[in-house]
Amino acid sequence: MNTLLWGALPYVAFALLVTGLVWRHRYDTFGWTTRSSEIYESRLLSLASPVFHYGILFVLAGHLLGLFVPASWTDAIGVDEHVYHLFSLIGGTLAGLLAITGIALLVYRRRTNAPVLLATTRNDKFMYVLLVGEIAMGMYAKVTNSSFSSGYDYRTTIAPWARSLFTLDPRTDLMTGAPLTYRIHAVLGMILIAVVPYTRLVHMFSAPVQYLFRPYIVYRSRGPLTEQPRPRGWERLDA
Amino acid sequence: MRVLAQVAMVMNLDKCIGCHTCSVTCKQTWTNRSGMEYAWFNNVETRPGQGYPRRWQDQEKWRGGWRLNRRGRLTLRAGSRVARLANIFANPVLPGIKDYYEPWTYDYRNLVNAPLGEDYPVAEPRSLLTGKPMKIEWSANWDDDLGGSVEHGDADPLVVRARAQGEQAAEKVRAAFEQTFMFYLPRICEHCLNPSCVASCPSGAIYKREEDGIVLVDQDHCRGWRQCVTGCPYKKIYFNHRTGKAEKCTFCYPRIEVGLPTVCSETCVGRLRYLGVVLYDADAVTAAASVPEDRDLYEAQLGVFLDPEDPEVRRAAERDGVAHDWIEAARRSPVHALVSRYRVALPLHPEYRTMPMVWYIPPLSPVVEALTETGFDGEDAGNLFGAIDTLRIPVEYLAGLFTAGDPAPVRASLEKLAAMRAHMRAVNLGEAESGSPSEAADAVGMTGRGIEEMYRLLAVAKYEERYVIPTAAMGEARRLEESALPAECSLDHDGGPGMGGEGIGTGGPGPFGEDSGRRRLPLVSLENFHALRRRQTGDDEAQR
């Protein structure tokens, strides 16, 4: 079980993520979008969506910092465990609160606004349950295992395990000591990573950073007027 | 100088009878699909009026188009690139569905299924967004023919602006309302030279075609960020709320490519639309769009257009890869004639700085009518010139639409149209000789021959004169014709009915929502291009 969860599942999730992205790009570039519902309802969305997205971006940054920056590095710049813990507790909880407030509002909006609800697929509902569960579990794990004076130091167990995944030598034994809530959070997280390409979450991989660097006006040539293989959505209707 | 060709349109508003045929045929061709029920790539608005979507001209609110920043450089009115990306999670100025209208259908089943009763059964309206019964309160042309103008006529942003200009203009607009003056304004995408929708697209999915200047959305690369809807000041980009993608007027590019006019032009009852090639200098566009004064933008845009009669221009065009038949088409272009040679056509809202390419000849007819009613000779040049300033619809209002508020070009255009009437009457009554100068022609600085050529173009021009469209590639015409015919049995394709697939039009959500997955979309149907062309342009009945 240990090996399955902490030795195999991470790689399965990663493989599903990568193959899923490639598959979706080839099979369904047309559907690669979040199908915005802003046109139905914008008042609540204009508040909730930025709150959630900025919150979740802070959360992501926090996870990258916590998992992939070893304690020895932060020690080297004079940040000891207690200072780091306070920073992680307060910063992380604030970011988590932003994200959870945002997504709560978003789900409320989705549930109460008739056109928005009608445009919600089963796939979306599954994704929302998983996402909300994951965020809530993370908050719960953090808050129940911490106080201002001390807290569970995941940088001696979970973080080294996460880094060991990249050297293809997973130290599964490290995870056995972690609190159950953290372990559930980690498993849900891996499932979430695995389903990203198969849900609307895929939109995170089309963050349009290139917009900052391209010329304003885009010209494109019509190209040769020959019969080309038709991408999905452009199949011939036939006479 | 970099010469590019653009297929452009001119609409003669004098002839528009507001029948909406263009809108309906366009809808049947392009937007009769789920998710696009509310979208009209072509719509006809009554002026004065709010338009569609409501009050789209109010850029203080919708923040479309360009403005000049403090350093005098062009920037999107909606904000810098960084500001737009920061707002990507919720676009703060996106028109909601209610700003267009909530699409609906009727519960027709009730007409036959209703139980026997005292009352005649009715088909109740049902919202296409929720499926629930709804009250119809607005649509794409709710204020058609000034309907409801007493209630919300003041909502027209141009009326507000004209009133703000001073007492005299204010008095005129009020008078115009009491005398119920109106005209129609058909609108499609402007296919601008400096398109702000293209500049707004974070994904880079909207592009302007090098060959013909048509602005298109790459559906496979659009990620549904909705910034283009805000960026377009004409609000001519629509968000497909089922597929989550932006869609817009395509200038019927599959028809244009084979030399056929757009559907709206083809079906126009008043024959008021003209299509033709305009050559322009792509390197001069940004400078022209950046002139400090809004009122200079009309002249600046005229300065970007190149004269295809100039051998220098023709050489440069050949050098830059414009096909020979396109250059020849530019010389015969009715659009070039109306815009640059006669200068009777004007751009719509040049102050948005997008350099629009669908131009309008302002309406004059009501002046003639009004004059005749008062007992004057409605076609006498002197009377007409005097009357232009006392139009029931003030020149100021037209100037607000077409020249950023400068009345001079509008007046000049109307005077030419008036002079044309007077001159042609003189010719027809034998008072003047055809081709010779007349008082009316002199007054507007045109020769008799010039004015008669303009008359021919505006009054009698046939199909081939109104639509001068070079085909995409003559050499490839045959191949195109073949590609329009199925090479194999039309049912045998992957997933088609012949292979046990679902076939066309069997909707239903895919794995990632509506229309996702490998599913066939009913997008565009074309009859054999050349067969269609023969049928529509052939003289001989037997050929049809």
Short mmCIF file of all heavy atoms in Angstrom, two decimals, chain A residues 90-144:
data_model
loop_
_atom_site.label_atom_id
_atom_site.label_comp_id
_atom_site.label_asym_id
_atom_site.label_seq_id
_atom_site.Cartn_x
_atom_site.Cartn_y
_atom_site.Cartn_z
N ILE A 90 0.67 31.53 8.49
CA ILE A 90 -0.14 32.73 8.27
C ILE A 90 -0.36 32.97 6.77
O ILE A 90 -1.49 33.11 6.29
CB ILE A 90 0.52 33.95 8.93
CG1 ILE A 90 0.57 33.72 10.45
CG2 ILE A 90 -0.25 35.22 8.60
CD1 ILE A 90 1.43 34.72 11.18
N GLY A 91 0.76 32.95 6.02
CA GLY A 91 0.66 33.19 4.57
C GLY A 91 -0.20 32.13 3.91
O GLY A 91 -1.12 32.41 3.14
N GLY A 92 0.09 30.87 4.27
CA GLY A 92 -0.64 29.76 3.65
C GLY A 92 -2.12 29.79 3.97
O GLY A 92 -2.96 29.58 3.10
N THR A 93 -2.43 30.10 5.22
CA THR A 93 -3.84 30.11 5.61
C THR A 93 -4.58 31.26 4.92
O THR A 93 -5.72 31.10 4.48
CB THR A 93 -3.97 30.24 7.14
OG1 THR A 93 -3.12 29.25 7.74
CG2 THR A 93 -5.38 30.02 7.58
N LEU A 94 -3.91 32.41 4.84
CA LEU A 94 -4.55 33.55 4.16
C LEU A 94 -4.84 33.21 2.70
O LEU A 94 -5.95 33.42 2.19
CB LEU A 94 -3.66 34.79 4.25
CG LEU A 94 -3.71 35.55 5.58
CD1 LEU A 94 -2.78 36.75 5.53
CD2 LEU A 94 -5.14 35.99 5.89
N ALA A 95 -3.82 32.66 2.04
CA ALA A 95 -4.00 32.30 0.63
C ALA A 95 -5.10 31.26 0.49
O ALA A 95 -5.97 31.34 -0.39
CB ALA A 95 -2.69 31.77 0.06
N GLY A 96 -5.07 30.27 1.41
CA GLY A 96 -6.09 29.22 1.39
C GLY A 96 -7.49 29.79 1.60
O GLY A 96 -8.44 29.39 0.93
N LEU A 97 -7.58 30.77 2.52
CA LEU A 97 -8.89 31.39 2.77
C LEU A 97 -9.39 32.11 1.52
O LEU A 97 -10.57 32.02 1.16
CB LEU A 97 -8.78 32.38 3.93
CG LEU A 97 -8.91 31.77 5.33
CD1 LEU A 97 -8.75 32.85 6.39
CD2 LEU A 97 -10.26 31.07 5.48
N LEU A 98 -8.47 32.83 0.86
CA LEU A 98 -8.85 33.51 -0.40
C LEU A 98 -9.42 32.49 -1.38
O LEU A 98 -10.50 32.67 -1.95
CB LEU A 98 -7.63 34.17 -1.03
CG LEU A 98 -7.26 35.60 -0.61
CD1 LEU A 98 -6.08 36.08 -1.45
CD2 LEU A 98 -8.44 36.53 -0.79
N ALA A 99 -8.66 31.40 -1.56
CA ALA A 99 -9.06 30.41 -2.55
C ALA A 99 -10.40 29.78 -2.18
O ALA A 99 -11.28 29.61 -3.03
CB ALA A 99 -7.99 29.33 -2.68
N ILE A 100 -10.57 29.48 -0.88
CA ILE A 100 -11.77 28.75 -0.49
C ILE A 100 -12.99 29.68 -0.50
O ILE A 100 -14.10 29.27 -0.87
CB ILE A 100 -11.56 28.04 0.86
CG1 ILE A 100 -12.34 26.73 0.87
CG2 ILE A 100 -11.97 28.89 2.03
CD1 ILE A 100 -11.67 25.63 1.60
N THR A 101 -12.77 30.97 -0.13
CA THR A 101 -13.87 31.92 -0.25
C THR A 101 -14.29 32.06 -1.70
O THR A 101 -15.48 32.04 -2.04
CB THR A 101 -13.43 33.31 0.27
OG1 THR A 101 -12.70 33.16 1.46
CG2 THR A 101 -14.62 34.22 0.48
N GLY A 102 -13.27 32.20 -2.53
CA GLY A 102 -13.54 32.37 -3.96
C GLY A 102 -14.31 31.20 -4.53
O GLY A 102 -15.35 31.37 -5.19
N ILE A 103 -13.85 30.00 -4.24
CA ILE A 103 -14.49 28.84 -4.87
C ILE A 103 -15.87 28.59 -4.26
O ILE A 103 -16.79 28.15 -4.95
CB ILE A 103 -13.60 27.59 -4.81
CG1 ILE A 103 -14.03 26.63 -5.92
CG2 ILE A 103 -13.65 26.91 -3.47
CD1 ILE A 103 -13.06 25.55 -6.23
N ALA A 104 -16.03 28.96 -2.98
CA ALA A 104 -17.35 28.82 -2.38
C ALA A 104 -18.35 29.73 -3.10
O ALA A 104 -19.46 29.32 -3.46
CB ALA A 104 -17.30 29.17 -0.90
N LEU A 105 -17.92 30.98 -3.34
CA LEU A 105 -18.78 31.91 -4.07
C LEU A 105 -19.06 31.40 -5.48
O LEU A 105 -20.18 31.49 -5.99
CB LEU A 105 -18.13 33.29 -4.14
CG LEU A 105 -18.22 34.15 -2.87
CD1 LEU A 105 -17.37 35.40 -3.01
CD2 LEU A 105 -19.67 34.53 -2.62
N LEU A 106 -18.01 30.87 -6.10
CA LEU A 106 -18.18 30.39 -7.48
C LEU A 106 -19.15 29.22 -7.55
O LEU A 106 -19.99 29.15 -8.45
CB LEU A 106 -16.82 29.98 -8.06
CG LEU A 106 -15.88 31.12 -8.43
CD1 LEU A 106 -14.52 30.59 -8.85
CD2 LEU A 106 -16.48 31.97 -9.55
N VAL A 107 -19.03 28.31 -6.57
CA VAL A 107 -19.94 27.16 -6.58
C VAL A 107 -21.37 27.62 -6.28
O VAL A 107 -22.34 27.17 -6.91
CB VAL A 107 -19.47 26.09 -5.57
CG1 VAL A 107 -20.51 25.00 -5.42
CG2 VAL A 107 -18.15 25.48 -6.03
N TYR A 108 -21.49 28.57 -5.33
CA TYR A 108 -22.81 29.12 -5.01
C TYR A 108 -23.42 29.74 -6.27
O TYR A 108 -24.59 29.49 -6.60
CB TYR A 108 -22.67 30.18 -3.92
CG TYR A 108 -23.91 31.01 -3.72
CD1 TYR A 108 -25.00 30.52 -3.02
CD2 TYR A 108 -24.00 32.29 -4.26
CE1 TYR A 108 -26.14 31.27 -2.85
CE2 TYR A 108 -25.14 33.06 -4.11
CZ TYR A 108 -26.20 32.54 -3.40
OH TYR A 108 -27.34 33.29 -3.25
N ARG A 109 -22.61 30.50 -7.00
CA ARG A 109 -23.08 31.14 -8.23
C ARG A 109 -23.52 30.08 -9.24
O ARG A 109 -24.57 30.19 -9.87
CB ARG A 109 -21.96 31.99 -8.80
CG ARG A 109 -22.15 32.46 -10.21
CD ARG A 109 -20.96 33.29 -10.63
NE ARG A 109 -21.07 33.71 -12.02
CZ ARG A 109 -20.69 32.96 -13.04
NH1 ARG A 109 -20.19 31.75 -12.83
NH2 ARG A 109 -20.82 33.41 -14.28
N ARG A 110 -22.71 29.05 -9.36
CA ARG A 110 -23.01 28.01 -10.33
C ARG A 110 -24.31 27.27 -9.97
O ARG A 110 -25.07 26.86 -10.83
CB ARG A 110 -21.84 27.02 -10.38
CG ARG A 110 -21.73 26.25 -11.66
CD ARG A 110 -20.33 25.75 -11.90
NE ARG A 110 -19.56 26.68 -12.70
CZ ARG A 110 -19.64 26.77 -14.02
NH1 ARG A 110 -20.45 26.00 -14.70
NH2 ARG A 110 -18.90 27.64 -14.69
N ARG A 111 -24.53 27.15 -8.68
CA ARG A 111 -25.68 26.40 -8.21
C ARG A 111 -26.97 27.23 -8.33
O ARG A 111 -28.03 26.69 -8.64
CB ARG A 111 -25.41 26.05 -6.73
CG ARG A 111 -26.12 24.87 -6.15
CD ARG A 111 -25.84 23.57 -6.86
NE ARG A 111 -27.01 22.69 -6.65
CZ ARG A 111 -28.11 22.72 -7.37
NH1 ARG A 111 -28.20 23.54 -8.40
NH2 ARG A 111 -29.13 21.95 -7.10
N THR A 112 -26.88 28.53 -8.10
CA THR A 112 -28.10 29.33 -7.99
C THR A 112 -28.49 30.02 -9.30
O THR A 112 -29.64 30.41 -9.46
CB THR A 112 -27.95 30.42 -6.91
OG1 THR A 112 -26.74 31.14 -7.18
CG2 THR A 112 -27.88 29.80 -5.53
N ASN A 113 -27.53 30.20 -10.20
CA ASN A 113 -27.85 30.89 -11.44
C ASN A 113 -28.26 29.87 -12.50
O ASN A 113 -27.46 29.04 -12.91
CB ASN A 113 -26.62 31.69 -11.89
CG ASN A 113 -26.96 32.68 -12.98
OD1 ASN A 113 -27.34 32.28 -14.07
ND2 ASN A 113 -26.84 33.94 -12.68
N ALA A 114 -29.51 29.95 -12.93
CA ALA A 114 -30.05 28.88 -13.79
C ALA A 114 -29.24 28.65 -15.07
O ALA A 114 -28.89 27.51 -15.37
CB ALA A 114 -31.52 29.17 -14.11
N PRO A 115 -28.94 29.69 -15.87
CA PRO A 115 -28.18 29.41 -17.08
C PRO A 115 -26.81 28.82 -16.80
O PRO A 115 -26.33 27.95 -17.53
CB PRO A 115 -28.03 30.79 -17.74
CG PRO A 115 -29.03 31.66 -17.11
CD PRO A 115 -29.29 31.11 -15.75
N VAL A 116 -26.17 29.30 -15.71
CA VAL A 116 -24.83 28.79 -15.39
C VAL A 116 -24.93 27.32 -15.00
O VAL A 116 -24.12 26.49 -15.43
CB VAL A 116 -24.19 29.61 -14.25
CG1 VAL A 116 -22.78 29.12 -13.98
CG2 VAL A 116 -24.18 31.09 -14.61
N LEU A 117 -25.94 26.98 -14.19
CA LEU A 117 -26.11 25.60 -13.77
C LEU A 117 -26.36 24.69 -14.97
O LEU A 117 -25.83 23.59 -15.08
CB LEU A 117 -27.28 25.48 -12.78
CG LEU A 117 -27.52 24.08 -12.22
CD1 LEU A 117 -26.31 23.61 -11.43
CD2 LEU A 117 -28.75 24.05 -11.34
N LEU A 118 -27.15 25.20 -15.90
CA LEU A 118 -27.49 24.41 -17.08
C LEU A 118 -26.26 24.15 -17.95
O LEU A 118 -26.20 23.15 -18.65
CB LEU A 118 -28.55 25.15 -17.89
CG LEU A 118 -29.54 24.25 -18.63
CD1 LEU A 118 -30.46 23.56 -17.64
CD2 LEU A 118 -30.34 25.07 -19.62
N ALA A 119 -25.29 25.07 -17.87
CA ALA A 119 -24.09 24.91 -18.69
C ALA A 119 -23.02 24.10 -17.96
O ALA A 119 -21.90 24.00 -18.42
CB ALA A 119 -23.52 26.29 -19.06
N THR A 120 -23.37 23.53 -16.81
CA THR A 120 -22.42 22.75 -16.03
C THR A 120 -22.54 21.28 -16.38
O THR A 120 -23.63 20.71 -16.27
CB THR A 120 -22.67 22.95 -14.52
OG1 THR A 120 -22.77 24.35 -14.26
CG2 THR A 120 -21.56 22.35 -13.71
N THR A 121 -21.44 20.66 -16.77
CA THR A 121 -21.49 19.25 -17.14
C THR A 121 -21.20 18.38 -15.92
O THR A 121 -20.77 18.87 -14.88
CB THR A 121 -20.45 18.92 -18.22
OG1 THR A 121 -19.16 19.18 -17.67
CG2 THR A 121 -20.65 19.77 -19.45
N ARG A 122 -21.41 17.07 -16.05
CA ARG A 122 -21.10 16.15 -14.97
C ARG A 122 -19.61 16.16 -14.68
O ARG A 122 -19.18 16.08 -13.54
CB ARG A 122 -21.56 14.74 -15.35
CG ARG A 122 -22.88 14.40 -14.68
CD ARG A 122 -23.26 12.99 -15.00
NE ARG A 122 -23.32 12.80 -16.46
CZ ARG A 122 -23.74 11.71 -17.04
NH1 ARG A 122 -24.14 10.69 -16.33
NH2 ARG A 122 -23.79 11.61 -18.36
N ASN A 123 -18.85 16.28 -15.76
CA ASN A 123 -17.40 16.38 -15.64
C ASN A 123 -17.03 17.57 -14.74
O ASN A 123 -16.20 17.45 -13.84
CB ASN A 123 -16.83 16.58 -17.05
CG ASN A 123 -15.32 16.65 -17.08
OD1 ASN A 123 -14.74 17.40 -16.33
ND2 ASN A 123 -14.71 15.86 -17.95
N ASP A 124 -17.70 18.71 -14.96
CA ASP A 124 -17.45 19.90 -14.14
C ASP A 124 -17.76 19.62 -12.67
O ASP A 124 -17.01 20.01 -11.78
CB ASP A 124 -18.31 21.08 -14.61
CG ASP A 124 -17.90 21.56 -15.99
OD1 ASP A 124 -16.78 21.22 -16.41
OD2 ASP A 124 -18.71 22.26 -16.63
N LYS A 125 -18.91 18.97 -12.43
CA LYS A 125 -19.33 18.74 -11.05
C LYS A 125 -18.32 17.86 -10.33
O LYS A 125 -17.92 18.14 -9.21
CB LYS A 125 -20.72 18.09 -11.03
CG LYS A 125 -21.80 19.07 -11.42
CD LYS A 125 -23.15 18.39 -11.56
CE LYS A 125 -24.15 19.35 -12.19
NZ LYS A 125 -25.34 18.67 -12.69
N PHE A 126 -17.87 16.79 -11.00
CA PHE A 126 -16.85 15.91 -10.43
C PHE A 126 -15.60 16.71 -10.09
O PHE A 126 -15.03 16.61 -9.01
CB PHE A 126 -16.54 14.80 -11.44
CG PHE A 126 -15.24 14.09 -11.19
CD1 PHE A 126 -15.14 13.17 -10.14
CD2 PHE A 126 -14.13 14.34 -11.99
CE1 PHE A 126 -13.95 12.52 -9.92
CE2 PHE A 126 -12.93 13.69 -11.75
CZ PHE A 126 -12.84 12.77 -10.71
N MET A 127 -15.20 17.57 -11.03
CA MET A 127 -13.99 18.36 -10.83
C MET A 127 -14.15 19.30 -9.64
O MET A 127 -13.24 19.45 -8.83
CB MET A 127 -13.70 19.14 -12.12
CG MET A 127 -12.40 19.90 -12.15
SD MET A 127 -12.48 21.47 -11.29
CE MET A 127 -13.63 22.38 -12.29
N TYR A 128 -15.32 19.92 -9.52
CA TYR A 128 -15.54 20.86 -8.41
C TYR A 128 -15.45 20.14 -7.07
O TYR A 128 -14.83 20.63 -6.12
CB TYR A 128 -16.89 21.56 -8.54
CG TYR A 128 -16.84 22.78 -9.41
CD1 TYR A 128 -17.46 22.80 -10.64
CD2 TYR A 128 -16.16 23.91 -8.98
CE1 TYR A 128 -17.39 23.92 -11.46
CE2 TYR A 128 -16.09 25.04 -9.77
CZ TYR A 128 -16.72 25.04 -11.01
OH TYR A 128 -16.64 26.14 -11.80
N VAL A 129 -16.06 18.95 -7.00
CA VAL A 129 -16.02 18.20 -5.75
C VAL A 129 -14.58 17.89 -5.38
O VAL A 129 -14.12 18.11 -4.24
CB VAL A 129 -16.84 16.89 -5.88
CG1 VAL A 129 -16.58 15.98 -4.69
CG2 VAL A 129 -18.31 17.21 -6.01
N LEU A 130 -13.82 17.41 -6.36
CA LEU A 130 -12.43 17.05 -6.11
C LEU A 130 -11.62 18.27 -5.69
O LEU A 130 -10.85 18.25 -4.73
CB LEU A 130 -11.85 16.43 -7.39
CG LEU A 130 -10.49 15.76 -7.26
CD1 LEU A 130 -10.58 14.59 -6.30
CD2 LEU A 130 -10.01 15.29 -8.61
N LEU A 131 -11.80 19.37 -6.40
CA LEU A 131 -11.02 20.57 -6.15
C LEU A 131 -11.34 21.15 -4.78
O LEU A 131 -10.45 21.48 -3.99
CB LEU A 131 -11.27 21.61 -7.25
CG LEU A 131 -10.42 22.87 -7.21
CD1 LEU A 131 -8.95 22.54 -7.33
CD2 LEU A 131 -10.83 23.82 -8.31
N VAL A 132 -12.63 21.27 -4.48
CA VAL A 132 -13.02 21.82 -3.18
C VAL A 132 -12.53 20.90 -2.07
O VAL A 132 -11.98 21.36 -1.06
CB VAL A 132 -14.56 22.00 -3.11
CG1 VAL A 132 -14.98 22.37 -1.70
CG2 VAL A 132 -15.02 23.06 -4.08
N GLY A 133 -12.67 19.58 -2.27
CA GLY A 133 -12.20 18.62 -1.28
C GLY A 133 -10.72 18.77 -1.02
O GLY A 133 -10.26 18.79 0.13
N GLU A 134 -9.96 18.93 -2.09
CA GLU A 134 -8.52 19.06 -1.98
C GLU A 134 -8.12 20.32 -1.22
O GLU A 134 -7.29 20.28 -0.30
CB GLU A 134 -7.91 19.06 -3.39
CG GLU A 134 -6.46 19.46 -3.49
CD GLU A 134 -5.52 18.44 -2.88
OE1 GLU A 134 -6.03 17.48 -2.26
OE2 GLU A 134 -4.30 18.62 -2.99
N ILE A 135 -8.74 21.45 -1.57
CA ILE A 135 -8.39 22.70 -0.90
C ILE A 135 -8.80 22.63 0.57
O ILE A 135 -8.02 22.98 1.47
CB ILE A 135 -9.07 23.90 -1.59
CG1 ILE A 135 -8.61 24.01 -3.04
CG2 ILE A 135 -8.75 25.19 -0.86
CD1 ILE A 135 -9.35 25.05 -3.85
N ALA A 136 -10.01 22.13 0.81
CA ALA A 136 -10.50 22.05 2.19
C ALA A 136 -9.62 21.12 3.02
O ALA A 136 -9.25 21.42 4.16
CB ALA A 136 -11.94 21.56 2.20
N MET A 137 -9.23 19.99 2.44
CA MET A 137 -8.39 19.03 3.15
C MET A 137 -7.04 19.65 3.49
O MET A 137 -6.51 19.45 4.59
CB MET A 137 -8.20 17.80 2.26
CG MET A 137 -7.86 16.53 3.01
SD MET A 137 -9.16 16.08 4.13
CE MET A 137 -8.18 15.53 5.51
N GLY A 138 -6.48 20.39 2.56
CA GLY A 138 -5.20 21.04 2.79
C GLY A 138 -5.29 22.03 3.93
O GLY A 138 -4.44 22.06 4.83
N MET A 139 -6.34 22.86 3.91
CA MET A 139 -6.54 23.83 4.99
C MET A 139 -6.69 23.11 6.34
O MET A 139 -6.09 23.51 7.34
CB MET A 139 -7.82 24.64 4.72
CG MET A 139 -7.70 25.64 3.60
SD MET A 139 -6.79 27.09 4.13
CE MET A 139 -8.04 27.91 5.09
N TYR A 140 -7.50 22.05 6.29
CA TYR A 140 -7.78 21.31 7.52
C TYR A 140 -6.49 20.70 8.08
O TYR A 140 -6.20 20.80 9.27
CB TYR A 140 -8.81 20.23 7.22
CG TYR A 140 -9.24 19.42 8.41
CD1 TYR A 140 -10.06 20.00 9.39
CD2 TYR A 140 -8.84 18.10 8.57
CE1 TYR A 140 -10.46 19.27 10.49
CE2 TYR A 140 -9.23 17.37 9.67
CZ TYR A 140 -10.04 17.95 10.63
OH TYR A 140 -10.44 17.22 11.73
N ALA A 141 -5.71 20.09 7.21
CA ALA A 141 -4.45 19.45 7.63
C ALA A 141 -3.53 20.49 8.27
O ALA A 141 -2.95 20.25 9.33
CB ALA A 141 -3.77 18.79 6.44
N LYS A 142 -3.45 21.64 7.61
CA LYS A 142 -2.54 22.66 8.11
C LYS A 142 -2.99 23.18 9.48
O LYS A 142 -2.21 23.25 10.42
CB LYS A 142 -2.48 23.81 7.10
CG LYS A 142 -1.51 24.92 7.46
CD LYS A 142 -0.10 24.49 7.11
CE LYS A 142 0.92 25.43 7.75
NZ LYS A 142 2.27 24.88 7.62
N VAL A 143 -4.27 23.52 9.54
CA VAL A 143 -4.76 24.19 10.75
C VAL A 143 -4.78 23.23 11.94
O VAL A 143 -4.42 23.60 13.06
CB VAL A 143 -6.15 24.80 10.50
CG1 VAL A 143 -6.73 25.37 11.78
CG2 VAL A 143 -6.04 25.89 9.45
N THR A 144 -5.18 21.96 11.74
CA THR A 144 -5.29 21.04 12.87
C THR A 144 -3.93 20.58 13.36
O THR A 144 -3.80 20.11 14.49
CB THR A 144 -6.12 19.80 12.51
OG1 THR A 144 -5.59 19.24 11.32
CG2 THR A 144 -7.58 20.14 12.34
#
